[in-house]
Amino acid sequence: MMSYRTLDDLADGQTVLARLDLNSPVSVGVVEDNRRFSRHARTVRELLDDGHRVALLAHQGRPGRDTFVTLEQHAEILSEHVGREIEYVPDTYGETALTAIDDLEAGEAIMLENVRMTDDELPEREPEEHAKSDLVQTLAPEFDAYVGDAYSTAHRKHASIVGLPLEMEAYAGRVMVSEYEANSAIANREFDGEVTMVAGGKKATDVIDVMTSLQDRVDNFLLGGIVGELFLRAVGYDVGRDIDESDLYESQWRANKDRIRELIESHPSELVYPSDLAFADENDERSEVTVADVKNKDHDYLDVGSDTVEQFSDIAAHSEAVFVKGALGMFEDERFSNGTARVLEAIGRSDCFSVVGGGDTSRAIEMYGMDEADFSHVSIAGGAYINALTGRSLPGVEVLKGSVEATH
């Protein structure tokens, strides 16, 4: 299959519409700076250095949520990362936006308004249907090229992701390329040594989807978090159940118990269980217990224990490739950060090919003073990362590939 075009294939001095994903945490109306801005800044800076006239499309939140705000602050934050002023335009494809696009000079950039504030953006539709929308039909004629850089949203069939690339020549930005190639490596790349996956977190169904898809390509699944407890429950330990009304465990157990048992039966040697777990004792201090000694679960287990950390770190450090999907514990609390932080440190120190999944897990790298450069790739994607790991197609990538095929 023919691949996508990148910025290396884009002739200088054009009018370009670039779709980024700057969706960020918002606290009391204030947009928080994060690695998405610094990553996308590379694409924007390169476009400006090559003399393009650049309009940026992005989204923030969803209608009805507190995080659904304008992109005025995003333009300011991105300007700092790019080192150039990016003008905020409080319109997406109306007269104000079209005038701002027409007024662009070479090496200038504007940020159009939150694309999700339009009616056309959010419905999940086929690319051909989106291509007929007012949003696409109004914006596309204003530009020479489309740059898709919103890998984190590439699993969505939204107008700005799949409709616009059908109406103009489309190119992959630097974030799109680096994310896609790193995250799909586990499915598309051959490794000489062992491949290990750190499988943890709270969302058991997502992790088990990944494990089921990759069971024949992964040599070691290091199990932690809620996922780890559910697997331990399946082999007979008295963990992996709720001790209050939170329903973190029971609903996920009912939804996944059959698939968990199938994985245990079909790949028993690849599953590496926690041998000990950590909890907050009566003095609110970290305490640990061997899994075999748990006879009646009366604590919430918030991390894997020290022996497990040592075992997991050793396996990861001696692997050819390590992919991280989910945290091993509640690392936001320093008392229960050992599992996630120490294993990440072991991965960072080794010379293995390493990909750390997006979302919460990647935050541990910053929180505990690790250097992002010690890892092959730290993803900024959530749902798209899962899709890549499980081998499902990404509509936002497929349309970029299709754009190449359409011109040959």
Side-chain angles (χ1 to χ4, degrees):
M1 179 182 293
M2 195 172 293
S3 187
Y4 40 68
R5 286 178 292 231
T6 72
L7 298 190
D8 297 328
D9 305 303
L10 179 61
D12 294 350
Q14 302 197 58
T15 305
V16 175
L17 179 62
R19 176 60 158 98
L20 316 180
D21 185 353
L22 301 175
N23 194 42
S24 302
V26 177
S27 179
V28 197
V30 177
V31 176
E32 297 180 12
D33 194 354
N34 60 81
R35 59 165 55 90
R36 286 187 172 178
F37 289 97
S38 58
R39 295 282 182 87
H40 284 295
R42 178 187 174 194
T43 295
V44 176
R45 192 181 305 112
E46 185 172 342
L47 288 170
L48 297 179
D49 287 346
D50 288 341
H52 297 295
R53 298 169 293 277
V54 182
L56 305 173
L57 268 184
H59 72 274
Q60 174 62 53
R62 281 179 176 267
R65 299 182 182 176
D66 292 342
T67 56
F68 191 57
V69 299
T70 75
L71 298 188
E72 183 172 10
Q73 295 178 66
H74 299 71
E76 294 174 1
I77 297 170
L78 187 61
S79 295
E80 294 177 4
H81 285 280
V82 173
R84 311 266 189 93
E85 180 183 0
I86 296 172
E87 179 189 353
Y88 162 68
V89 178
D91 183 28
T92 308
Y93 68 101
E95 287 302 320
T96 300
L98 297 178
T99 299
I101 294 166
D102 190 56
D103 289 344
L104 278 169
E105 299 287 344
E108 292 183 346
I110 57 174
M111 174 80 72
L112 300 178
E113 185 57 282
N114 187 343
V115 70
R116 289 188 176 175
M117 290 183 174
T118 70
D119 293 334
D120 289 339
E121 172 68 1
L122 278 175
E124 290 275 344
R125 294 174 178 155
E126 292 304 308
E128 294 77 13
E129 187 176 357
H130 270 310
K132 299 174 184 177
S133 67
D134 289 341
L135 170 69
V136 173
Q137 289 298 314
T138 302
L139 283 179
E142 304 296 318
F143 297 93
D144 302 310
Y146 170 92
V147 172
D149 212 33
Y151 177 85
S152 304
T153 319
H155 59 305
R156 304 292 190 190
K157 289 183 178 180
H158 294 165
S160 65
I161 301 297
V162 300
L164 282 164
L166 263 61
E167 294 297 300
M168 62 183 94
E169 288 195 358
Y171 301 78
R174 298 310 184 194
V175 170
M176 181 69 76
V177 173
S178 63
E179 288 278 351
Y180 178 69
E181 293 186 356
N183 296 343
S184 60
I186 196 167
N188 300 331
R189 180 170 164 179
E190 293 297 328
F191 296 99
D192 295 331
E194 291 199 336
V195 176
T196 293
M197 172 163 282
V198 178
K202 296 179 180 179
K203 298 178 180 178
T205 299
D206 285 350
V207 176
I208 293 166
D209 282 347
V210 171
M211 293 176 67
T212 301
S213 176
L214 298 175
Q215 57 187 305
D216 295 323
R217 296 191 62 84
V218 173
D219 301 289
N220 310 291
F221 287 105
L222 310 182
L223 301 171
I226 287 179
V227 177
E229 281 199 55
L230 293 181
F231 272 83
L232 286 170
R233 175 174 174 173
V235 294
Y237 292 102
D238 190 22
V239 295
R241 59 181 180 81
D242 299 297
I243 61 173
D244 52 28
E245 302 300 317
S246 63
D247 196 26
L248 279 173
Y249 292 90
E250 203 59 42
S251 60
Q252 298 199 76
W253 169 253
R254 289 194 301 270
N256 295 291
K257 60 183 179 181
D258 291 339
R259 290 200 298 160
I260 290 173
R261 287 167 175 154
E262 288 170 6
L263 284 166
I264 291 170
E265 183 177 348
S266 60
H267 293 272
S269 62
E270 285 88 351
L271 304 177
V272 187
Y273 303 95
S275 58
D276 52 354
L277 298 167
F279 61 95
D281 62 19
E282 60 274 8
N283 297 316
D284 217 23
E285 299 289 338
R286 178 188 174 104
S287 289
E288 298 184 358
V289 61
T290 301
V291 170
D293 290 336
V294 179
K295 303 304 180 187
N296 184 26
K297 181 180 178 182
D298 55 2
H299 297 283
D300 281 326
Y301 296 112
L302 305 176
D303 194 12
V304 294
S306 301
D307 289 345
T308 301
V309 172
E310 186 174 341
Q311 180 190 20
F312 283 11
S313 297
D314 184 64
I315 293 172
H318 289 89
S319 298
E320 180 76 14
V322 182
F323 295 80
V324 180
K325 176 63 191 89
L328 295 172
M330 196 174 72
F331 68 86
E332 297 88 348
D333 185 329
E334 191 171 359
R335 295 171 300 170
F336 303 107
S337 64
N338 283 6
T340 303
R342 299 293 87 76
V343 172
L344 282 173
E345 287 173 350
I347 295 168
R349 286 194 302 268
S350 76
D351 59 359
C352 69
F353 177 83
S354 56
V355 178
V356 180
D360 287 343
T361 313
S362 60
R363 287 197 297 117
I365 292 173
E366 296 177 55
M367 287 183 66
Y368 294 100
M370 288 172 257
D371 187 347
E372 191 172 304
D374 289 338
F375 303 89
S376 303
H377 184 69
V378 178
S379 180
I380 58 174
Y385 179 61
I386 293 171
N387 275 38
L389 292 179
T390 54
R392 295 196 291 268
S393 67
L394 294 165
V397 175
E398 295 306 313
V399 291
L400 297 179
K401 294 178 178 178
S403 177
V404 177
E405 295 166 358
T407 57
H408 282 74

